[in-house]
Every structure is written in structure tokens, then in C-alpha cells.
Amino acid sequence: MISARRPTSAARVLLVLGASALLLAACGRKGPLDLPANSPPAPQLSAAPDTATDNAAKPGVFNSGYGADSAPAAPRGQKKPFILDPLLDSK
């Protein structure tokens, strides 16, 4: 006796719901965020071409040199005790 395993109707429903959730997760518009209804209209910026020096001064994921020479954004805070400090501070 050979029995073929077929997914039950509940498993099919879960499979269809999971696939549709994945497909619908990426739906949306590409573009800037919508402004609230009572806000003034945003000023239109002219599209000026970026130069290499302008690009180097902009923060970004792929710009590893941005902010390397500047001071830290916030001063160091006080050290708070943690339960694992004796294990972590051992050398």
C-alpha cells in the first residue's frame, strides 16, 4: 500500500495566505511621504546636478568617510553597572 502525502485543506489555506502576505508586503508607491492635510505645500526644489565634492559631503550608507573627522554627536554617559560586568571586564 503506497500512500501519497497531500497537504490538507488547512495546510493549503495557510500556504495561500502566507504566499499572499509575502506578495502584498511589497505593495506601495515609490516616492516621498504624503504631507498631512493641514500643512502648507512643500517648496519645489530645482534639480541641480550633484558634483563629486557634493556627494562626498553627503551622509549615506556607502559613504564611509562622512563624519570621520568630526567630534562625536553626544558626550559619553556614565557607566551603569550591569550584572555581567565581572565576566566581561576580566582579561
Side-chain angles (χ1 to χ4, degrees), residues 54-84:
D54 290 340
N55 287 336
K58 291 181 183 176
V61 175
F62 300 111
N63 190 357
S64 61
Y66 177 76
D69 297 331
S70 64
R76 278 190 88 135
Q78 292 181 341
K79 182 172 175 21
K80 296 178 183 176
F82 183 63
I83 195 165
L84 295 179

Side-chain angles (χ1 to χ4, degrees), residues 10-85:
R12 285 184 189 167
V13 169
L14 287 176
L15 183 66
V16 169
L17 286 176
S20 62
L22 287 175
L23 288 173
L24 293 175
C27 289
R29 284 189 308 175
K30 183 177 180 180
L33 296 175
D34 293 336
L35 294 175
N38 58 357
S39 68
Q44 297 294 329
L45 301 175
S46 62
D50 292 334
T51 62
T53 55
D54 290 340
N55 287 336
K58 291 181 183 176
V61 175
F62 300 111
N63 190 357
S64 61
Y66 177 76
D69 297 331
S70 64
R76 278 190 88 135
Q78 292 181 341
K79 182 172 175 21
K80 296 178 183 176
F82 183 63
I83 195 165
L84 295 179
D85 278 343

